Amino acid sequence: MRRRTRLTQAAMAAALLIGGWAAAGTLPASAQETPASAADASAPASPGLLDAMRRDLGLTRAEAEERLAAERRATALAPQARKTAGSAYGGAWFDARSGRLTVAVTPDADATTVRSLRESGATVRTVEHTERLLDTVKSRLDRLDAPAGVASWSVDPAANTVVVNVVEDRRADNDVRAFVRKARAAGPVTVRTVADAPSTFAAGTVGGDPYYTGNVRCSIGFSVHGGFVTAGHCGGAGQQVRGWDGSYIGNFQGSSFPDNDYAWVNVGSGWWTVPVVLGWGTVSDQLVRGSAEAPVGASICRSGSTTHWHCGRVLAKNETVNYAQGSVHQMTKTSVCAEGGDSGGSFISGDQAQGVTSGGWGNCSSGGETWFQPVNEILNRYGLTLHTA
């Protein structure tokens, strides 16, 4: 049976710690929570991942390997840096130029704290506002009724402000201007423009792609024990899910959209899960070894059933995205492109699962931005365990 042949190949790829599906092979890669300490700092990057970073980030192979190693160090350092900075913590991000984690602290940070952060390998920057204050301002904006011309808002640690993104050709609209006035009254806010409004990346049914519910095609995110996680806008609880070949996989066991954009589907009827993100023949398939959260500024790649494999950078975290269907909270924004049908697909940094594709603006011809729902939030919400290699 053709489906079983593809699944057998996938299982063999995972067992051999290699990726080897053909471009036509389209079975799941999925997600779960693993602590940062589980990240294998010595695990070599696949040639396909390095090639994608060279293509999308303009890096040589050596630069890509060096950057991945630096990002692993920054990811491991970030939780301790937050604890060390304490009440003076202003946020943190990965600086690709220096290859180090930058930690922001307010002027009341004592000399011992600053010295400890520097000795740990971080760069220290003094800022005016704490992350706690900026998070409070962002929460105030979450309670406002946002018009369609407001795309999203989030805390920008490097700029030490809350950034409100407004669609360029809607910035003069009265309702947009009214929202901006209220936002600025809430605290330190900066307004920026974006080219277009965000939308989800679901698509109508087309043949030969990962999974379908009703007349919608979406992409599998990450395997968990018992199923896979994906985007909530792709289907509601109880809806039946069919695989790339039309055969029954399972049903949505939980789904939330808007407010959140996550869901999980049980897997059965001859299907099973593997800890792999598909490369679609463009790159080698990527094993999933954990879900340590990459910092702002880190490189990240996405796999989806329409545009396959693309890479970019993490631009912002905990961003509220204002879709036509309603706002979705706690999203991560990236510079990676996506298109219809990529919804629910995998975002991965190195071998660490990051989240499932939600939506964005633009496309993979002219560029754009894409948001994902963090995978650890999904795992915690449903009590799921990531399937890891």
Side-chain angles (χ1 to χ4, degrees):
M1 187 174 174
R2 188 173 169 218
R3 171 166 61 88
R4 291 184 178 275
T5 300
R6 288 188 179 181
L7 285 164
T8 301
Q9 291 172 344
M12 291 175 61
L16 295 171
L17 303 187
I18 61 172
W21 291 340
T26 65
L27 199 74
S30 39
Q32 163 223 349
E33 179 178 12
T34 299
S37 59
D40 184 355
S42 63
S46 71
L49 173 60
L50 298 175
D51 286 345
M53 292 178 70
R54 181 176 58 191
R55 179 196 67 195
D56 294 338
L57 298 175
L59 303 175
T60 66
R61 182 186 181 93
E63 288 171 340
E65 289 176 332
E66 183 178 350
R67 177 156 175 173
L68 287 171
E71 289 173 354
R72 284 194 291 267
R73 292 192 293 270
T75 298
L77 175 59
Q80 184 57 48
R82 176 190 291 269
K83 186 181 297 184
T84 299
S87 61
Y89 184 70
W93 61 95
F94 177 74
D95 183 354
R97 285 178 292 186
S98 67
R100 301 170 70 182
L101 184 74
T102 298
V103 180
V105 296
T106 53
D108 56 339
D110 58 41
T112 301
T113 296
V114 173
R115 182 169 62 253
S116 179
L117 288 168
R118 287 175 174 156
E119 289 175 351
S120 71
T123 299
V124 180
R125 179 185 295 181
T126 302
V127 296
E128 182 179 357
H129 308 297
T130 64
E131 182 185 64
R132 183 174 182 178
L133 183 147
L134 295 176
D135 284 344
T136 298
V137 174
K138 193 260 180 183
S139 295
R140 291 171 183 161
L141 271 59
D142 285 343
R143 293 192 288 270
L144 299 177
D145 185 15
V150 176
S152 64
W153 53 94
S154 65
V155 172
D156 183 338
N160 197 227
T161 186
V162 175
V163 173
V164 174
N165 295 296
V166 173
V167 179
E168 189 168 13
D169 61 4
R170 305 289 295 277
R171 58 186 175 180
D173 290 0
N174 289 335
D175 52 355
V176 171
R177 295 170 68 178
F179 181 92
V180 169
R181 283 196 301 271
K182 293 176 182 177
R184 285 179 167 148
V189 164
T190 299
V191 177
R192 297 175 184 166
T193 58
V194 293
D196 207 347
S199 61
T200 56
F201 285 127
T205 299
V206 295
D209 285 292
Y211 83 87
Y212 306 89
T213 177
N215 65 345
V216 171
R217 170 171 59 86
C218 282
S219 301
I220 290 169
F222 294 93
S223 292
V224 296
H225 291 287
F228 64 83
V229 295
T230 186
H233 70 263
C234 291
Q239 282 193 275
Q240 187 178 108
V241 173
R242 293 171 287 116
W244 60 270
D245 62 351
S247 65
Y248 171 73
I249 295 179
N251 295 76
F252 279 87
Q253 299 299 303
S255 179
S256 179
F257 179 79
D259 188 29
N260 305 293
D261 193 5
Y262 51 60
W264 83 280
V265 175
N266 69 310
V267 168
S269 302
W271 294 76
W272 64 86
T273 62
V274 290
V276 172
V277 171
L278 290 173
W280 290 89
T282 303
V283 301
S284 299
D285 298 339
Q286 182 69 41
L287 288 171
V288 178
R289 293 190 171 93
S291 57
E293 186 178 333
V296 170
S299 61
I300 194 166
C301 297
R302 179 194 56 73
S303 179
S305 62
T306 298
T307 58
H308 301 170
W309 188 273
H310 288 273
C311 298
R313 296 181 300 112
V314 177
L315 299 178
K317 295 186 179 183
N318 192 26
E319 182 146 309
T320 300
V321 182
N322 189 34
Y323 293 131
Q325 301 92 331
S327 294
V328 177
H329 303 91
Q330 296 179 311
M331 302 272 267
T332 298
K333 180 167 68 176
T334 77
S335 64
V336 187
C337 68
E339 296 179 13
D342 287 328
S343 277
S346 321
F347 265 94
I348 189 166
S349 181
D351 56 12
Q352 299 296 302
Q354 298 299 309
V356 299
T357 303
S358 173
W361 61 269
N363 55 53
C364 289
S365 297
S366 59
E369 294 176 338
T370 301
W371 287 269
F372 66 79
Q373 188 90 66
V375 67
N376 288 334
E377 180 185 357
I378 310 172
L379 301 173
N380 291 335
R381 168 63 180 82
Y382 294 118
L384 302 170
T385 302
L386 189 66
H387 189 169
T388 58

